[in-house]
Amino acid sequence: MAIPINAKEDRRSWKRYIVLLKGKYLLDKDKRHKECIVIDISRQGACIKTPIENKVSRGDAICLEIFTTEAASIVINAAVQWTKKNRTRAAHRIKFEALIDAQAYDF
């Protein structure tokens, strides 16, 4: 179940939902999918977490597969907007190429 974020300072165009979903992604420069965790999502983008050793950079084209709670998945093309790293993990904000209907997927 997704939890909406309703902070006054959040000026996004679309409601963002806190989720904890498994995912896989593929960068143009990679030859194989890598695992990630989707921690929030909106109609326009998402935030994913990856191990620090995975080389994801701002501007990278990314194909994201999200596994929904219904044991199905959706595949979304996107671009990396920003990256923040700590010692073991990295968070990446990605922007989808097209809007998705987040409510249709029961996040």
Side-chain angles (χ1 to χ4, degrees), residues 21-70:
L21 299 169
K22 290 183 181 181
K24 292 193 299 189
Y25 68 94
L26 181 67
L27 300 173
D28 282 346
K29 59 187 173 189
D30 291 338
K31 293 184 174 25
R32 63 180 185 88
H33 287 87
K34 296 178 181 173
E35 292 184 359
C36 66
I37 303 234
V38 181
I39 61 169
D40 76 41
I41 193 163
S42 73
R43 291 192 65 196
Q44 191 173 28
C47 187
I48 64 171
K49 286 202 172 185
T50 65
I52 195 74
E53 60 270 7
N54 294 3
K55 305 294 184 203
V56 179
S57 302
R58 183 173 188 232
D60 283 349
I62 188 170
C63 180
L64 176 65
E65 182 175 11
I66 302 171
F67 300 99
T68 65
T69 55
E70 301 168 351

Side-chain angles (χ1 to χ4, degrees), residues 13-14 42-45 76-77 95-102 105:
S13 300
W14 305 102
S42 73
R43 291 192 65 196
Q44 191 173 28
I76 306 162
N77 291 318
K95 183 176 181 181
F96 303 148
E97 286 183 356
L99 296 178
I100 63 164
D101 185 0
Y105 295 106

